[in-house]
Amino acid sequence: MSVRQLWEGSDSAKWLKELDGKTKLIVLFSFAILTIVIDNPRTLFILFTASIGLHLVGKTSLQKLQVLALLLLLGLWGSMFSQALFFSQTPRTPLFTIISPGLPILGTITEGLFVYKEGLIYGAVQGLRSATMLSIGLLVCWSSDPRQLLKALVSWKMIPQVAFMLVTAIRFLPVLVAEASEVLVALRLRSNTKIGRNSIIRHLPYIAKPLLARCLRRAQTLALSVVSRGFFLDNSSKYGYKWSNTEKIFSWTLILLVVLISSFKLVYIASEYGFYYGDLRIIYDWTKIYL
């Protein structure tokens, strides 16, 4: 699998690729809202597991799953490590000391550097949020033709220029990765260095200018193509299409579920500020346990 194919949606399950762009975007937005509303670690983990399960059901290739795993591990590790070191809330339970407060110079400047238990837990919860969105976002990108998303956004009366820029950003990612790979190969051949991590690290400082030049040429070509086709002069009726009833029912059900969960959370937050009603105690208890 080439570098460009690794970031393009060409090997997903047929049913996933044929899903309407509206359905995919609604699922993406629903996950985004739920990751913000939910604070319970177990429920967040279930949501994250669901996003990974969609990758497996959608038959995401092994190479892409490896890329996903690497990005998730880096994100979770970074979130947990940073929060463990710089957690400022109380109470804080130090697990071990990196820099002792009594250490000359560094100890005086930093007042000690510790790894906090509460920071690890808080970082893991925040990392689950970003990991869930990364997982579901890559699923949408890997399983969607840009035209699907463009038609969906324009059919929602979004400004065509804005919709086009959003979709172009998604489409440009695999192109950018492929261009960067080609530039690295060219630099390595010119310097007669062997393939390996050292050669990549060595040439990274010199990749910016040629990559920027290639991107500018592609952007100019794309701009001329769009203008010549009169894309921004067309009305949204050109992109009209039928949204299947099954997907429409599923999408509206998902929207109602997200609205219901968000309402429960808002009612619970209001109860903490004194707006408490005994008749809603079941909602309060359910929200406290699961959200």
Side-chain angles (χ1 to χ4, degrees), residues 181-237:
S181 177
E182 291 178 5
V183 172
L184 282 174
V185 171
L187 291 173
R188 192 177 67 248
L189 291 175
R190 286 184 179 182
S191 60
N192 195 24
T193 55
K194 297 180 180 180
I195 300 176
R197 295 179 182 176
N198 293 334
S199 66
I200 296 176
I201 296 174
R202 177 183 174 183
H203 294 114
L204 278 179
Y206 309 101
I207 194 178
K209 288 184 178 180
L211 186 59
L212 179 60
R214 281 172 169 250
C215 291
L216 288 176
R217 284 195 296 268
R218 283 188 174 272
Q220 185 179 11
T221 304
L222 179 62
L224 291 174
S225 176
V226 170
V227 173
S228 64
R229 294 184 180 186
F231 174 80
F232 298 131
L233 300 177
D234 293 338
N235 53 37
S236 60
S237 61

Side-chain angles (χ1 to χ4, degrees), residues 28-238:
L28 180 63
F29 297 152
S30 299
F31 268 81
I33 294 174
L34 290 177
T35 53
I36 296 173
V37 171
I38 298 173
D39 294 319
N40 186 281
R42 294 181 180 177
T43 310
L44 274 176
F45 182 75
I46 293 174
L47 194 65
F48 170 70
T49 305
S51 68
I52 298 297
L54 289 175
H55 277 279
L56 299 178
V57 175
K59 297 182 180 179
T60 302
S61 64
L62 180 60
Q63 292 86 350
K64 291 181 179 180
L65 288 177
Q66 291 173 347
V67 172
L68 175 63
L70 177 62
L71 295 176
L72 291 178
L73 288 175
L74 289 175
L76 284 172
W77 168 252
S79 177
M80 293 176 66
F81 186 72
S82 60
Q83 292 297 329
L85 292 179
F86 305 109
F87 188 71
S88 59
Q89 301 178 20
T90 54
R92 297 186 298 181
T93 307
L95 295 178
F96 55 88
T97 304
I98 297 179
I99 299 178
S100 174
L103 189 69
I105 302 178
L106 286 179
T108 304
I109 296 175
T110 62
E111 297 182 354
L113 188 61
F114 306 92
V115 174
Y116 297 104
K117 175 183 176 181
E118 290 79 7
L120 284 172
I121 298 174
Y122 181 77
V125 173
Q126 299 304 318
L128 275 178
R129 286 192 169 97
S130 59
T132 302
M133 288 312 303
L134 176 63
S135 176
I136 198 68
L138 286 177
L139 177 66
V140 173
C141 293
W142 282 338
S143 62
S144 303
D145 188 301
R147 288 170 294 184
Q148 286 181 321
L149 305 180
L150 180 61
K151 291 178 180 179
L153 292 174
V154 174
S155 67
W156 281 337
K157 307 302 180 182
M158 179 177 283
I159 300 173
Q161 290 87 337
V162 176
F164 184 79
M165 286 189 293
L166 290 174
V167 175
T168 302
I170 298 174
R171 177 63 179 170
F172 197 68
L173 178 60
V175 175
L176 182 63
V177 174
E179 293 283 2
S181 177
E182 291 178 5
V183 172
L184 282 174
V185 171
L187 291 173
R188 192 177 67 248
L189 291 175
R190 286 184 179 182
S191 60
N192 195 24
T193 55
K194 297 180 180 180
I195 300 176
R197 295 179 182 176
N198 293 334
S199 66
I200 296 176
I201 296 174
R202 177 183 174 183
H203 294 114
L204 278 179
Y206 309 101
I207 194 178
K209 288 184 178 180
L211 186 59
L212 179 60
R214 281 172 169 250
C215 291
L216 288 176
R217 284 195 296 268
R218 283 188 174 272
Q220 185 179 11
T221 304
L222 179 62
L224 291 174
S225 176
V226 170
V227 173
S228 64
R229 294 184 180 186
F231 174 80
F232 298 131
L233 300 177
D234 293 338
N235 53 37
S236 60
S237 61
K238 178 181 177 180

Side-chain angles (χ1 to χ4, degrees), residues 19-29 148-157 239-244 247-248 250-251 254-255:
L19 277 180
D20 196 283
K22 291 183 179 179
T23 305
K24 293 178 181 179
L25 290 176
I26 288 175
V27 171
L28 180 63
F29 297 152
Q148 286 181 321
L149 305 180
L150 180 61
K151 291 178 180 179
L153 292 174
V154 174
S155 67
W156 281 337
K157 307 302 180 182
Y239 301 96
Y241 58 98
K242 182 175 176 58
W243 192 13
S244 69
E247 294 185 30
K248 190 180 296 185
F250 169 79
S251 299
L254 185 60
I255 291 173

